[in-house]
Amino acid sequence: MSIQTLLFVALTVPVAVFVALYNLDPFDPAPMPAHTTYTSVHVPVHFSAIVGRSERVADGLVHGPEDLAYDAGSGWLYASCSDGWIRRVGLDGPMVVEDWASGLLKVTEDQKVDLLTDEAEGVKFRLTDGVDVASDGTIYFTDASYKYSLHEHMEDVLGARPHGRLMSFDPTTGETRVLVRDLYFANGVALSPDQDHVLYCETLLRRCMKYHIKGEKKETVEVFIDDIPGFPDNIRHDGEGKYWIGLATGMTLFWDVILKYPFLRKILVIMSRYVKLPDGQQDGGVLEVDLEGRPVALYTDPSLGETTVGLKIGNQLYYGSLVKSCISRMELPQSSTSAK
């Protein structure tokens, strides 16, 4: 066999194998929705190096603290972790643990766990995500995807198909209602201070939406904030007139390119089945917005990726992560004069 033949075989066989894998793989990404933009809303103040200002809380004791909630009465900070546990951390150090299961759960103070609901309209939840509870007991929550689980969530994002839902659960009747369907990775949920609407994030579309619970616009949806400078995860109201939105990653050239071309997203997913690929996530952090959806300040760092939530407690900002083994905490700047 000649050298030319050997070179031909060496070059064409891998290509043929990859083409076969590409055509046979069932993953079928869609083009991004027509209204998708690749610009970002202007943010007046940007603190771009927050890791150096931060300290680690419960270091090594929490894995992937994806969401945070604070009980001011007891002083406990609760973290839902990617390893399947809910942990509560005393801000001065102590910690105890509680277990959880799939679906929407109720956890009592004596650590009893009750499953409230795990399906709607005959469709099981695969990735229950954000949750908030109204004063009348109604629970509002999202299922980010009815097709993919947490460990497969990037396939849902890269697939660009609307598998998410916003739902409500009435504990008095046991009824689960689908309020909004066909969402692009439905994520964090937050009730407004007067509880006339609920906000939820659509991660892939880089926006947060407003679902009206009552009033003239009841059961209608409108944009709360669009063109977020990153991919939003959880959203939290601080009780002081501001919302805090966790950003899994900022907008980068990597994300700009792959979101425009479905075939590149399919190649990434196929390659990820065989080798570990860089996730392209950086410049994550937290976005602060007012009650009208106007940006106030952006807190990011080039080294941050998979940041999931921001929670303001006093003058401290706590932020969680899908991959870190700690909760991060930083003192909020007193003014914008130190912005970078």
Side-chain angles (χ1 to χ4, degrees):
M1 185 178 292
S2 67
I3 293 177
Q4 291 84 355
T5 302
L6 287 173
L7 287 173
F8 177 79
V9 172
L11 291 173
T12 57
V13 169
V15 173
V17 170
F18 184 81
V19 169
L21 286 174
Y22 185 95
N23 290 328
L24 292 174
D25 197 281
F27 182 70
D28 183 26
M32 290 290 288
H35 65 270
T36 303
T37 68
Y38 295 91
T39 59
S40 296
V41 67
H42 172 69
V43 183
V45 180
H46 185 190
F47 299 91
S48 61
I50 66 172
V51 169
R53 305 180 182 201
S54 302
E55 61 178 316
R56 301 165 72 93
V57 178
D59 196 5
L61 301 176
V62 293
H63 180 71
E66 196 271 343
D67 202 0
L68 303 174
Y70 180 59
D71 180 1
S74 66
W76 289 113
L77 179 65
Y78 291 81
S80 59
C81 301
S82 61
D83 58 5
W85 292 82
I86 295 176
R87 291 172 165 84
R88 61 183 185 183
V89 181
L91 299 189
D92 56 354
M95 179 187 72
V96 299
V97 298
E98 297 168 328
D99 201 0
W100 69 291
S102 299
L104 185 65
L105 307 173
K106 177 182 178 182
V107 182
T108 63
E109 291 185 1
D110 59 1
Q111 302 184 25
K112 179 183 178 183
V113 180
D114 293 321
L115 175 64
L116 299 178
T117 177
D118 62 356
E119 67 176 24
E121 298 179 341
V123 179
K124 289 281 189 178
F125 308 150
R126 291 297 304 278
L127 186 45
T128 46
D129 208 321
V131 62
D132 206 354
V133 184
S135 57
D136 65 0
T138 303
I139 302 170
Y140 296 90
F141 67 104
T142 52
D143 186 24
S145 172
Y146 60 74
K147 183 174 182 179
Y148 294 98
S149 68
L150 175 63
H151 300 297
E152 305 164 320
H153 75 279
M154 284 307 300
E155 291 193 29
D156 193 278
V157 171
L158 294 174
R161 295 188 183 275
H163 299 132
R165 298 177 289 176
L166 172 70
M167 290 165 285
S168 66
F169 176 79
D170 186 338
T172 61
T173 64
E175 179 187 14
T176 304
R177 291 183 57 212
V178 178
L179 306 177
V180 188
R181 52 180 55 80
D182 299 330
L183 301 178
Y184 289 85
F185 208 84
N187 222 314
V189 172
L191 282 154
S192 63
D194 56 9
Q195 302 197 0
D196 65 347
H197 63 265
V198 61
L199 304 178
Y200 61 90
C201 299
E202 282 187 276
T203 299
L204 184 61
L205 301 187
R206 296 171 40 238
R207 68 184 186 184
C208 292
M209 305 297 288
K210 178 190 296 187
Y211 175 85
H212 292 274
I213 299 172
K214 54 189 177 183
E216 294 182 357
K217 297 182 178 180
K218 183 178 180 180
E219 298 184 354
T220 64
V221 176
E222 61 185 0
V223 174
F224 176 67
I225 179 173
D226 207 349
D227 297 333
I228 290 173
F231 293 87
D233 197 313
N234 290 301
I235 179 170
R236 284 281 174 266
H237 181 250
D238 62 9
E240 301 173 358
K242 300 293 192 304
Y243 291 102
W244 299 77
I245 304 171
L247 303 180
T249 178
M251 285 299 296
T252 64
L253 178 61
F254 170 83
W255 283 103
D256 281 348
V257 172
I258 66 167
L259 290 181
K260 290 179 181 178
Y261 302 104
F263 80 93
L264 290 180
R265 286 184 262 130
K266 182 164 183 173
I267 290 173
L268 278 177
V269 168
I270 293 173
M271 292 178 64
S272 70
R273 304 195 201 286
Y274 304 97
V275 297
K276 183 174 176 59
L277 300 174
D279 57 22
Q281 298 193 36
Q282 62 185 57
D283 288 323
V286 181
L287 175 66
E288 178 187 3
V289 302
D290 66 18
L291 296 182
E292 303 302 319
R294 294 183 293 255
V296 175
L298 178 63
Y299 304 83
T300 67
D301 196 281
S303 67
L304 284 178
E306 301 197 61
T307 308
T308 54
V309 64
L311 181 66
K312 181 179 181 292
I313 303 174
N315 65 343
Q316 303 276 347
L317 175 63
Y318 291 77
Y319 54 100
S321 165
L322 200 60
V323 295
K324 287 189 175 182
S325 58
C326 69
I327 300 166
S328 298
R329 174 175 63 193
M330 63 168 283
E331 186 170 346
L332 288 165
Q334 296 302 308
S335 69
S336 61
T337 55
S338 57
K340 299 179 180 179

